[in-house]
Amino acid sequence: MPPARPFRMLRWFLSPFVGQEWSYWRAVLACFLAASTFWVLRALNKTYTTRITYPVAWRYNQAQFVPVQPLPTEVAVNVTGRGWKLLRRSLPLEVKPAEMLLPALPSTRYVTARSLRPALQQAMEGLQFNYLLTDTLWIQFDRLVSRRLPLALSPATDGSALPYAASFSPKSILFRGPAGKVNTLPNPYPVHLPQAPAGSTTGDIRVPIGGPDLVVPNVQDVRVRLQHRPLVTVPLQVVPELMDAPTGRTYQLSPALVQVQLQCFPEDTASLRRADVHVQLHYGQFINADSSLRPFLSQRPAAARGGQVLTPGVRVTVKK
């Protein structure tokens, strides 16, 4: 029967191995290892053309310019060589990289295959370089510059002034990095206070110095001494508003304007708007046809740190 024929062939092939002792199997294993070793050595002596990645080392003046993005460390190339050389490249062994020399600040953001070819040919010992699998390598450099900036407290998130004055130690920071980033740093450089500053504003706190990527300050943090800031007083005259008064009547207020005093920091005075100040009179305090009501400050600008109404009372007269 046809299905029995493959079974007979398999039994014929395995019959010499059935019932053999351990010494027999050791001999078979030794022969197999010897044959495999001979086959590998023979294969490694042949010449192959294949694709590999080859390391690249960049040489440039690190005191004058700096890369603003990671430089490529390998390039994909097509090479021809013996198996021994290709095996050495694939194993984690030390391989001489192709050195790309940049004598000056690159005027372009790429390096062409034509520029890479001499460095690759010189570095590949025992391998024949055929061609690159990519036309260009993308690079970006900038001048390395230093800039010293004074320090100042960063303003509040809503743009209002902070209730502290600060002294810094050191008073200025030296930043070093790519010119495109260093030259755009604000002057003075803002120091951001922690979420909850020191409980005593007369104490010292350590505040870390931040900055954009690749920009390195000469210190990692600064000592900040906080002190209360004095407020300035801004006088205003405001028309009071009579609230909850019955309709159909005419009311005369005397005086027509009440004196209001707001407190704020000097840099916030320009943002104080008279329209944001509201003084109200409650009609519920009205007793007779000629009564005096006490005005109160119902709304003040967000930049104001305090405020009060100086006018003690407003006489309300009902006109018939």
Side-chain angles (χ1 to χ4, degrees):
M1 295 176 64
R5 186 175 180 181
F7 178 75
R8 287 198 301 268
M9 292 182 63
L10 179 63
R11 186 173 61 180
W12 172 82
F13 179 76
L14 295 177
S15 59
F17 302 98
V18 177
Q20 299 295 336
E21 297 180 356
W22 172 242
S23 60
Y24 173 81
W25 289 107
R26 283 190 299 178
V28 171
L29 182 60
C31 292
F32 176 77
L33 291 176
S36 300
T37 302
F38 178 76
W39 179 83
V40 170
L41 293 177
R42 185 176 180 182
L44 290 176
N45 280 322
K46 293 182 179 180
T47 300
Y48 301 90
T49 297
T50 186
R51 166 184 173 172
I52 64 172
T53 57
Y54 201 83
V56 177
W58 300 87
R59 302 288 183 257
Y60 57 91
N61 190 335
Q62 299 184 10
Q64 293 185 357
F65 49 99
V66 60
V68 297
Q69 66 181 20
L71 295 173
T73 58
E74 291 182 332
V75 292
V77 294
N78 183 279
V79 296
T80 299
R82 290 187 177 275
W84 290 105
K85 294 294 184 179
L86 296 174
L87 176 64
R88 183 172 182 267
R89 174 64 192 95
S90 62
L91 295 177
L93 301 175
E94 184 178 355
V95 178
K96 179 183 178 182
E99 295 190 357
M100 283 298 302
L101 179 62
L102 303 176
L105 181 66
S107 57
T108 62
R109 295 188 176 184
Y110 57 87
V111 175
T112 62
R114 182 178 180 181
S115 302
L116 286 168
R117 178 179 293 272
L120 290 169
Q121 289 176 334
Q122 184 178 1
M124 291 182 178
E125 299 176 354
L127 294 176
Q128 176 186 337
F129 169 71
N130 297 327
Y131 57 87
L132 268 82
L133 299 179
T134 180
D135 293 334
T136 58
L137 292 183
W138 296 98
I139 62 173
Q140 186 176 356
F141 283 83
D142 199 357
R143 292 183 299 107
L144 185 62
V145 298
S146 298
R147 185 184 178 197
R148 183 171 292 277
L149 294 173
L151 302 177
L153 283 181
S154 176
T157 55
D158 60 359
S160 61
L162 292 175
Y164 310 105
S167 59
F168 301 93
S169 179
K171 295 182 179 180
S172 61
I173 299 293
L174 181 68
F175 293 92
R176 183 174 176 83
K181 293 187 175 183
V182 173
N183 292 336
T184 58
L185 294 177
N187 183 10
Y189 188 78
V191 176
H192 301 276
L193 289 179
Q195 189 69 21
S200 172
T201 56
T202 60
D204 293 351
I205 58 175
R206 304 294 301 189
V207 179
I209 294 296
D213 294 338
L214 303 179
V215 176
V216 181
N218 63 335
V219 295
Q220 296 302 313
D221 54 33
V222 295
R223 188 180 68 181
V224 183
R225 186 174 182 85
L226 300 176
Q227 297 176 342
H228 281 302
R229 297 183 57 196
L231 297 171
V232 296
T233 300
V234 179
L236 295 173
Q237 288 186 332
V238 180
V239 177
E241 304 169 12
L242 184 59
M243 308 300 295
D244 304 325
T247 59
R249 296 183 178 182
T250 303
Y251 301 92
Q252 181 179 357
L253 305 181
S254 179
L257 299 176
V258 296
Q259 302 294 326
V260 177
Q261 211 174 59
L262 298 179
Q263 291 80 40
C264 65
F265 296 117
E267 57 267 40
D268 288 337
T269 55
S271 62
L272 295 181
R273 297 174 50 198
R274 187 187 303 273
D276 295 334
V277 182
H278 293 273
V279 175
Q280 294 180 352
L281 305 169
H282 272 307
Y283 184 79
Q285 301 174 358
F286 198 81
I287 299 176
N288 49 51
D290 190 4
S291 182
S292 180
L293 303 182
R294 182 177 181 83
F296 68 95
L297 186 63
S298 61
Q299 181 179 331
R300 68 188 186 191
R305 299 289 169 163
Q308 61 177 334
V309 179
L310 300 182
T311 303
V314 175
R315 177 168 294 180
V316 179
T317 304
V318 180
K319 290 187 176 181
K320 296 182 181 181

